[in-house]
Amino acid sequence: MRRAGAGLRMRVPGEARLKAGRKFGKYRIRRRLAQGGFASVYEAFDSIEGCRVAIKLPHPQLVNPHMLEEFRKEARVASGLDHPQILPIKNAQFIDGQFAIVYPLGECTLADRMQRRLAADTRAELARQMLAAVAYAHSHRVIHCDLKPENFILFPGPRLRLTDFGIARLARRTVMASGSGTVGYVAPEQAMGRTSFRSDVFSLGLILYQLFAGVLPEWPYTWPPPGIERLRRTVHPAFMAFLRRAIHVDQRRRFGHAIEMALAFERLRLRGRVLGPAPRPSRRRPPSARRDWRLLRRRQFVRLYRKPLALVDACSRCDGPVAEGMLACPWCGVRRANYRGASRRPERCPRCRRGRNPDWRFCAWCYGPAFRSVSARRHRDPTLSERCGGAGCPRKQVAPFMRYCPWCHRKLRQRWKVPGSKHHCGRCGWGVLREYWSFCPWCGKEQPKP
């Protein structure tokens, strides 16, 4: 939770405020950070672990079995989402007769940070992290329902984390919920009780518009909204079209969910179409102002191999473009056994976190056990263009660069080739691009220079 910020300062009748210095279980209260209509958030010191934390407490006069069940649900939903951009729960229990949820303590909220000047590159990085957090929640069928800058907590780095799943809804397709949310960021259909994944897309689009334009659009959300001139000077026209699609009043015109939205943003980022064009340089540029040849090489690589290799992610260390099936970064060699990026498939393997189709019996990327839930309905997947080769395989359909057959669990013997390349790895035999890569993305072996 946040460390400092404005928050709501209204006085709730009958509120039992914890005073600074009071002992609360193993925690010592330092101050109150924020207060809402249902709960208060305090900064405290953990005397056992020796660190500062944020404690969320429901107001005593509002505590009833239904309210406690809502807070228990928030704890269960948040604890089931393991992602670097989602705020984890340190503890959830009754302390001195009060139900409390304990979080790591951040520096401030995104709402507080947007009050000060932000560099363009920092805003683009914060946007990427916001999209990654909501896309991960949507991949686990969780709709947040209350996306706003106050629910994104900043940590050093800067590192952004999403919190407050108090009114989140678990959904299969579209849920019928009450018109809950925060005025100013709630989607029109959500205000009328018809919440869906597209409602989170709308709220996230408003936050991104406010982050880059400095102005929050208001009803009736006609285009162009206020602040459009500043937005034109700041971002690329392709990113403006991205924002316009996200905050369209007609939900059928928006992105279907945050996963699709994050993939579209990643494509724009890899092509350099998020921020606006740099000012025209002078004829005589110093050597330090010349364009980095590595950046040019990566952009050329993305232009040629984005579709053949399905580049939908970026390395967490070097930010190089990578594909979901790669076990190592081809640019810096860092291992990628546990995948945390976006996926084009609707579900995830619980072992390696890579995408899978609902009708798969096994993971195509790691040798894990059979999935518990397998759909009997055949899922249409145009990437399944190769044959398994197994005699008893029920489907015999696999996609390039898969390691195992998702139907019979057979290890594939094909030596996959990269289109347009004659080079292969000396260890695993799979295709590599030595003119671009320094490591084999399939086994991690360092590649000789061309």
Side-chain angles (χ1 to χ4, degrees), residues 184-313:
Y185 297 95
V186 64
E189 72 278 1
Q190 182 178 346
M192 295 184 290
R194 294 192 294 270
T195 305
S196 68
F197 291 111
R198 287 182 169 88
S199 305
D200 279 355
V201 168
F202 184 87
S203 302
L204 193 53
L206 291 179
I207 298 173
L208 293 178
Y209 189 95
Q210 183 181 9
L211 178 65
F212 285 92
V215 180
L216 178 64
E218 298 179 353
W219 178 261
Y221 304 113
T222 56
W223 192 270
I228 192 67
E229 293 300 327
R230 179 181 175 183
L231 192 69
R232 288 196 179 103
R233 297 191 303 266
T234 306
V235 304
H236 194 278
F239 185 61
M240 290 182 60
F242 171 91
L243 294 176
R244 184 176 184 178
R245 180 181 177 185
I247 62 175
H248 205 287
V249 175
D250 186 358
Q251 58 177 321
R252 295 172 297 180
R253 304 280 296 274
R254 300 179 208 151
F255 297 99
H257 39 64
I259 306 172
E260 180 185 355
M261 191 177 179
L263 289 173
F265 179 84
E266 191 62 26
R267 287 193 293 268
L268 293 177
R269 191 180 69 86
L270 291 174
R271 296 176 181 178
R273 296 183 179 180
V274 174
L275 301 178
R280 180 177 297 177
S282 60
R283 292 184 178 180
R284 295 182 179 179
R285 293 184 298 171
S288 59
R290 296 174 184 170
R291 303 182 73 177
D292 187 0
W293 65 272
R294 296 180 182 86
L295 179 60
L296 296 176
R297 184 180 66 167
R298 290 186 181 180
R299 287 183 177 176
Q300 183 186 30
F301 166 75
V302 171
R303 185 168 60 251
L304 295 176
Y305 294 98
R306 181 179 62 86
K307 288 185 177 180
L309 294 178
L311 303 174
V312 297
D313 193 22

Side-chain angles (χ1 to χ4, degrees), residues 30-53:
R30 288 193 169 181
R31 58 177 176 140
R32 185 173 63 179
L33 297 176
Q35 178 181 331
F38 298 97
S40 297
V41 181
Y42 294 88
E43 177 186 346
F45 181 78
D46 190 330
S47 59
I48 303 298
E49 299 184 15
C51 61
R52 290 179 294 176
V53 297

Side-chain angles (χ1 to χ4, degrees), residues 15-297:
E15 176 202 359
R17 178 173 179 176
L18 299 181
K19 297 182 179 180
R22 173 180 170 180
K23 196 73 180 299
F24 188 67
K26 67 172 183 175
Y27 308 101
R28 187 171 296 278
I29 303 297
R30 288 193 169 181
R31 58 177 176 140
R32 185 173 63 179
L33 297 176
Q35 178 181 331
F38 298 97
S40 297
V41 181
Y42 294 88
E43 177 186 346
F45 181 78
D46 190 330
S47 59
I48 303 298
E49 299 184 15
C51 61
R52 290 179 294 176
V53 297
I55 302 179
K56 186 175 184 179
L57 299 173
H59 298 317
Q61 73 279 3
L62 299 178
V63 173
N64 53 55
H66 174 72
M67 178 61 64
L68 288 178
E69 182 59 29
E70 289 295 314
F71 273 83
R72 290 191 186 100
K73 185 194 72 174
E74 175 182 352
R76 289 193 294 266
V77 170
S79 62
L81 300 176
D82 181 16
H83 191 270
Q85 268 63 64
I86 292 183
L87 190 67
I89 289 180
K90 292 178 65 68
N91 193 11
Q93 67 177 91
F94 283 92
I95 303 176
D96 297 342
Q98 297 188 63
F99 184 72
I101 303 179
V102 183
Y103 299 92
L105 184 67
E107 292 183 331
C108 62
T109 66
L110 179 62
D112 298 327
R113 186 63 185 89
M114 285 196 299
Q115 301 300 319
R116 306 189 300 273
R117 185 172 182 178
L118 276 168
D121 292 341
T122 303
R123 282 180 285 178
E125 174 59 21
L126 294 179
R128 184 193 68 82
Q129 295 184 30
M130 278 190 284
L131 287 164
V134 184
Y136 184 81
H138 284 190
S139 68
H140 285 69
R141 319 304 296 175
V142 175
I143 306 176
H144 190 280
C145 299
D146 194 21
L147 292 176
K148 56 184 177 180
E150 289 80 3
N151 285 338
F152 287 97
I153 312 301
L154 273 171
F155 288 78
R159 185 179 183 184
L160 204 66
R161 287 182 166 184
L162 175 61
T163 185
D164 200 359
F165 288 85
I167 57 175
R169 301 289 188 262
L170 292 172
R172 285 297 175 188
R173 291 182 180 86
T174 303
V175 298
M176 296 299 294
S178 60
S180 54
T182 299
V183 176
Y185 297 95
V186 64
E189 72 278 1
Q190 182 178 346
M192 295 184 290
R194 294 192 294 270
T195 305
S196 68
F197 291 111
R198 287 182 169 88
S199 305
D200 279 355
V201 168
F202 184 87
S203 302
L204 193 53
L206 291 179
I207 298 173
L208 293 178
Y209 189 95
Q210 183 181 9
L211 178 65
F212 285 92
V215 180
L216 178 64
E218 298 179 353
W219 178 261
Y221 304 113
T222 56
W223 192 270
I228 192 67
E229 293 300 327
R230 179 181 175 183
L231 192 69
R232 288 196 179 103
R233 297 191 303 266
T234 306
V235 304
H236 194 278
F239 185 61
M240 290 182 60
F242 171 91
L243 294 176
R244 184 176 184 178
R245 180 181 177 185
I247 62 175
H248 205 287
V249 175
D250 186 358
Q251 58 177 321
R252 295 172 297 180
R253 304 280 296 274
R254 300 179 208 151
F255 297 99
H257 39 64
I259 306 172
E260 180 185 355
M261 191 177 179
L263 289 173
F265 179 84
E266 191 62 26
R267 287 193 293 268
L268 293 177
R269 191 180 69 86
L270 291 174
R271 296 176 181 178
R273 296 183 179 180
V274 174
L275 301 178
R280 180 177 297 177
S282 60
R283 292 184 178 180
R284 295 182 179 179
R285 293 184 298 171
S288 59
R290 296 174 184 170
R291 303 182 73 177
D292 187 0
W293 65 272
R294 296 180 182 86
L295 179 60
L296 296 176
R297 184 180 66 167

